[in-house]
């Protein structure tokens, strides 16, 4: 007799530079998604039915995750018991070894649990590097892990003032990029947290004399519209550069039109990290 599949919630992290994003893509592309590698590793568990990862939070090409999540169902051959959490973590990580992808935790969950729809909130951080007058001044260990906006230093207090306009429930039409899902998604989102704080760089104490400053922008919401975080960061950096005033952020929200977003202001993917998914 075949036992019902066991459902698991897994938390995983990845260095996103080499992937087309987290979501699955066709294998004939030059860059494929993190999901492709997760599912390829999972097939080594010899399930009866191919394993699909239902990813909680989409990330674009070049975006990293300190902790993303997904659920998956595993149906084993008759007589074989369900994997315990530690077995699942070890087995998946063994088969992911060549890739900068790691399973952090796994939990057996009820069959009705859904990694995407059961999430209470998601937290993103964006890492900025100030003090570089040229991209060649970015420490080699920080390449692809932060953004060093042109012009060196930014007016952080003005950025912090501007970030307050993003808090709360708004129509974020101006702060979303258009894609095929745009007509079917509400642009209304609630930002629960929007902080800008000093941060540390990798091995930064070894080059303190260079006067480089790392800052983190943190955003938390139940969900975000397409590329919302990168557009919010880009607008805040424009405030820090003096190209916009803090009040311009309020005006952009009120316009409710993606075409009103300042041209070429969206932050690059390299500094963005999905920090956590909360349940």
């Amino acid at each position: 007799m075949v036992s019902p599949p066991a459902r698991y919630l897994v938390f995983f992290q990845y260095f996103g530079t080499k992937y087309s994003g987290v979501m699955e893509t066709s294998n004939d592309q030059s860059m494929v998604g993190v999901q492709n590698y997760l599912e390829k590793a999972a097939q080594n568990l010899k399930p009866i039915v191919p394993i699909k990862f239902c990813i909680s939070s989409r990330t674009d090409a070049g975006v990293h995750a300190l902790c993303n999540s997904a659920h998956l169902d595993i149906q084993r051959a008759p007589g074989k018991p369900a994997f315990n959490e530690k077995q699942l973590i070890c087995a998946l990580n063994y088969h992911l070894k060549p890739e900068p992808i790691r399973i952090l935790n796994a939990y057996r969950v009820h069959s009705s649990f859904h990694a995407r729809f059961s999430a209470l909130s998601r937290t993103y951080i964006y890492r900025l590097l100030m003090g570089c007058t040229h991209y060649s001044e970015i420490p080699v260990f920080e390449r692809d892990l932060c953004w060093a906006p042109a012009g060196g230093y930014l007016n952080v207090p003005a950025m912090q003032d501007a970030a307050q306009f993003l808090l709360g429930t708004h129509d974020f039409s101006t702060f979303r990029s258009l894609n095929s899902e745009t007509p079917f998604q509400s642009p209304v989102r609630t930002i629960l947290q929007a902080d800008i704080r000093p941060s540390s760089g990798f091995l930064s104490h070894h080059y303190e004399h260079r006067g480089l400053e790392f800052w983190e922008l943190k955003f938390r919401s139940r969900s975000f519209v397409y590329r919302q975080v990168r557009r919010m960061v880009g607008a805040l950096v424009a405030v820090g550069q003096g190209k916009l005033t803090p009040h311009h952020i309020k005006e952009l929200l009120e316009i409710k039109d993606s075409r009103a977003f300042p041209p070429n202001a969206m932050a690059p993917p390299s500094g963005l990290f999905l920090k956590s998914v909360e349940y």
Side-chain angles (χ1 to χ4, degrees), residues 209-272:
H209 62 282
R210 292 178 55 189
L212 302 180
E213 292 181 11
F214 288 89
W215 291 78
E216 266 181 23
L217 288 75
K218 181 188 285 188
F219 301 95
R220 183 166 61 90
S221 174
R222 178 156 191 188
S223 62
F224 296 86
V225 292
Y226 184 48
R227 291 182 174 166
Q228 179 183 348
V229 175
R230 287 171 59 192
R231 285 167 79 105
M232 291 191 300
V233 169
L236 293 174
V237 165
V239 170
Q241 293 171 326
K243 296 175 181 176
L244 299 176
T245 67
H247 207 264
H248 274 127
I249 301 299
K250 184 173 186 288
E251 292 175 2
L252 287 172
L253 282 168
E254 291 169 349
I255 291 170
K256 303 175 186 176
D257 186 345
S258 63
R259 294 168 296 184
F261 189 76
N264 305 313
M266 183 168 69
S270 54
L272 183 58

Side-chain angles (χ1 to χ4, degrees), residues 20-27 32-36 39 52 55:
S20 63
V22 71
M23 303 304 289
E24 181 181 29
T25 58
S26 59
N27 282 303
V32 297
V34 173
Q35 185 178 357
N36 294 63
E39 292 178 357
K52 299 299 291 180
I55 309 288

Side-chain angles (χ1 to χ4, degrees), residues 18 39 87 89 92 94 161 169-170 174 199 206 226 257 275:
K18 65 174 285 189
E39 292 178 357
Q87 287 173 327
I89 295 167
L92 289 174
Y94 177 82
D161 289 345
T169 303
H170 306 283
T174 307
S199 181
H206 289 292
Y226 184 48
D257 186 345
K275 181 181 186 293

Side-chain angles (χ1 to χ4, degrees), residues 33-101:
V34 173
Q35 185 178 357
N36 294 63
Y37 291 96
L38 291 169
E39 292 178 357
K40 183 180 178 184
Q43 297 323 310
N44 289 288
L45 303 178
K46 298 184 169 49
I48 295 177
V49 179
I51 294 172
K52 299 299 291 180
F53 279 67
C54 183
I55 309 288
S56 76
S57 307
R58 293 188 176 195
T59 58
D60 290 339
V63 176
H64 317 288
L66 295 171
C67 188
N68 202 339
S69 60
H71 75 254
L72 61 148
D73 294 327
I74 304 178
Q75 188 151 14
R76 303 194 73 191
K80 291 203 174 270
F83 290 105
N84 67 41
E85 287 94 339
K86 189 171 182 181
Q87 287 173 327
L88 183 60
I89 295 167
C90 292
L92 289 174
N93 279 335
Y94 177 82
H95 294 291
L96 284 165
K97 261 194 300 194
E99 297 299 318
I101 306 170

Side-chain angles (χ1 to χ4, degrees), residues 87-273:
Q87 287 173 327
L88 183 60
I89 295 167
C90 292
L92 289 174
N93 279 335
Y94 177 82
H95 294 291
L96 284 165
K97 261 194 300 194
E99 297 299 318
I101 306 170
R102 287 295 173 271
I103 306 297
L104 302 171
N105 275 305
Y107 301 94
R108 183 83 180 265
V109 292
H110 192 270
S111 60
S112 63
F113 178 89
H114 197 286
R116 182 180 173 192
F117 300 121
S118 299
L120 299 177
S121 64
R122 284 125 175 123
T123 302
Y124 284 87
I125 59 170
Y126 196 99
R127 299 181 69 242
L128 290 176
L129 172 57
M130 300 183 200
C132 294
T133 55
H134 190 265
Y135 73 87
S136 63
E137 296 175 11
I138 300 171
V140 68
F141 301 106
E142 290 286 354
R143 198 182 72 171
D144 299 326
L145 294 172
C146 63
W147 176 28
Y153 294 95
L154 302 171
N155 183 343
V156 174
M159 294 169 65
Q160 291 169 328
D161 289 345
Q164 298 309 299
F165 289 114
L166 298 169
L167 284 169
T169 303
H170 306 283
D171 181 321
F172 281 96
S173 292
T174 307
F175 288 88
R176 71 172 171 182
S177 294
L178 304 181
N179 66 3
S180 60
E181 295 180 8
T182 302
F184 310 104
Q185 285 188 335
S186 167
V188 176
R189 295 291 186 273
T190 301
I191 300 295
L192 303 168
Q193 183 178 11
D195 292 338
I196 304 174
R197 295 178 180 173
S199 181
S200 58
F202 183 65
L203 298 173
S204 58
H205 58 287
H206 289 292
Y207 43 83
E208 283 174 341
H209 62 282
R210 292 178 55 189
L212 302 180
E213 292 181 11
F214 288 89
W215 291 78
E216 266 181 23
L217 288 75
K218 181 188 285 188
F219 301 95
R220 183 166 61 90
S221 174
R222 178 156 191 188
S223 62
F224 296 86
V225 292
Y226 184 48
R227 291 182 174 166
Q228 179 183 348
V229 175
R230 287 171 59 192
R231 285 167 79 105
M232 291 191 300
V233 169
L236 293 174
V237 165
V239 170
Q241 293 171 326
K243 296 175 181 176
L244 299 176
T245 67
H247 207 264
H248 274 127
I249 301 299
K250 184 173 186 288
E251 292 175 2
L252 287 172
L253 282 168
E254 291 169 349
I255 291 170
K256 303 175 186 176
D257 186 345
S258 63
R259 294 168 296 184
F261 189 76
N264 305 313
M266 183 168 69
S270 54
L272 183 58
F273 294 73

